[in-house]
């Protein structure tokens, strides 16, 4: 039984955790292996994150699985990632379903290979009635492009008379994002020691707590996740107010 898990206050959990899963290549290089070896050994870390969320009932987990910029990586590495994704979806679909999780995908999935897209849509359909939690995969995803698409779609609706300019506010704008049905991100975690956002959920993390970990992604464990939750709970989230205002509320 995890001693760190016992420190978690179940009344103060984030509703939405997002993770930038970074460090697979460096993990493999430290073992004198090719980068693809790191990607193949990252699956256990993904399971750890999903299982940890499931155990403490965090309703939304978003994983930065493949960015729009990742298409620029060497073709061999991209092919390995796509094949691994298709294989993992096939093997893990029943596990995700049995946990009562509903899977969602955000990003430009039309860019994905047909087999990967087919497997994704199969799992999304298989799990659509599940209510225990939500697993969101960000695939071929870039936040700047998401925001630009939202602007273009709002502009089109204004032109067609469907939206009045004076009615455009944060709430309306959010309805044009991939994440329109999800709560904002409360906690963003990035592994590998890098301190940057990498074009991930730029709108959605406006008031998120950010945690940058030195651990490489394949070494990510449930206890590391639980410690992130404990650290999150030790923060005072002010949303632009003073600490005194928060305490008064």
């Amino acid at each position: 039984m995890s001693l760190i898990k016992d420190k978690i206050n179940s009344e103060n959990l984030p509703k939405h955790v997002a993770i930038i899963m970074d460090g697979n290549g460096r993990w493999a290089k430290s073992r004198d292996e090719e980068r693809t070896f790191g990607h193949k050994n990252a699956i256990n870390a993904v399971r750890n994150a999903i299982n940890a969320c499931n155990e403490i009932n965090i309703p939304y987990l978003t994983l930065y699985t493949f960015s729009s910029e990742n298409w620029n990586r060497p073709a061999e590495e991209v092919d390995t990632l796509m094949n691994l994704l298709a294989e993992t979806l096939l093997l893990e679909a029943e596990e995700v379903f049995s946990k009562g999780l509903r899977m969602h995908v955000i990003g430009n999935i039309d860019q994905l290979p047909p087999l990967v897209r087919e497997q994704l849509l199969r799992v999304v359909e298989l799990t659509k009635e599940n209510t225990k939690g939500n697993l969101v995969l960000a695939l071929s995803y870039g936040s700047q492009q998401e925001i630009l698409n939202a602007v273009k779609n709002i502009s089109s609706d204004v032109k067609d008379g469907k939206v009045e300019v004076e009615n455009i506010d944060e709430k309306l704008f959010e309805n044009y994002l991939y994440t329109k049905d999800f709560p904002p991100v409360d906690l963003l975690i990035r592994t590998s020691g890098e301190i940057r956002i990498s074009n991930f959920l730029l709108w959605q993390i406006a008031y998120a707590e950010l945690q940058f970990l030195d651990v490489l992604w394949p070494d990510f464990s449930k206890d590391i996740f639980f410690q992130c939750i404990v650290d999150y709970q030790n923060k005072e989230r002010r949303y632009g107010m003073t600490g005194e205002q928060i305490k008064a509320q």
Side-chain angles (χ1 to χ4, degrees), residues 49-239:
I50 294 171
N51 290 336
C53 273
N54 193 246
E55 285 182 25
I56 60 176
N57 298 314
I58 291 176
Y60 287 87
L61 172 66
T62 298
L63 301 177
Y64 204 5
T65 310
F66 191 86
S67 77
S68 53
E69 290 79 18
N70 286 156
W71 292 112
N72 298 319
R73 290 190 174 187
E76 180 183 358
E77 182 176 348
V78 171
D79 288 343
T80 297
L81 283 167
M82 290 297 111
N83 290 334
L84 182 61
L85 179 58
E87 178 183 326
T88 302
L89 287 167
L90 184 64
L91 294 174
E92 302 291 332
E94 194 60 42
E95 179 74 8
V96 171
F97 178 79
S98 67
K99 291 182 183 300
L101 302 178
R102 181 178 180 181
M103 198 178 85
H104 311 262
V105 185
I106 59 174
N108 184 5
I109 66 171
D110 289 340
Q111 286 186 294
L112 298 172
L115 178 60
V116 175
R117 193 165 59 248
E118 178 184 319
Q119 294 287 17
L120 276 171
L121 296 177
R122 174 179 171 271
V123 181
V124 168
E125 178 65 23
L126 175 70
T127 62
K128 69 179 182 180
E129 302 298 331
N130 286 356
T131 58
K132 183 72 186 298
N134 296 271
L135 173 61
V136 185
L137 302 184
L139 276 164
S140 191
Y141 173 86
S143 188
Q144 289 178 328
Q145 190 60 50
E146 176 188 24
I147 291 170
L148 282 174
N149 287 341
V151 171
K152 290 176 182 178
N153 290 330
I154 291 173
S155 299
S156 178
D157 283 350
V158 169
K159 183 179 179 181
D160 293 341
K162 297 177 182 177
V163 171
E164 298 292 334
V165 172
E166 56 269 23
N167 291 333
I168 299 175
D169 58 12
E170 291 91 341
K171 184 67 175 176
L172 184 142
F173 187 84
E174 287 170 356
N175 285 330
Y176 286 81
L177 298 174
Y178 293 134
T179 55
K180 63 182 180 179
D181 296 321
F182 311 148
V185 176
D186 296 307
L187 171 61
L188 174 70
I189 300 167
R190 179 174 186 143
T191 57
S192 86
E194 300 292 351
I195 304 175
R196 56 175 177 267
I197 304 303
S198 296
N199 198 18
F200 184 46
L201 299 175
L202 300 177
W203 177 277
Q204 296 87 344
I205 63 170
Y207 281 101
E209 297 297 325
L210 309 182
Q211 294 189 23
F212 300 97
L213 311 180
D214 288 332
V215 65
L216 300 176
W217 178 246
D219 292 325
F220 189 84
S221 66
K222 287 200 295 183
D223 273 351
I224 291 173
F225 183 90
F226 293 145
Q227 186 61 57
C228 288
I229 301 302
V230 171
D231 293 343
Y232 164 87
Q233 293 181 337
N234 287 330
K235 301 287 186 180
E236 183 179 66
R237 306 187 72 202
R238 300 194 187 100
Y239 300 98

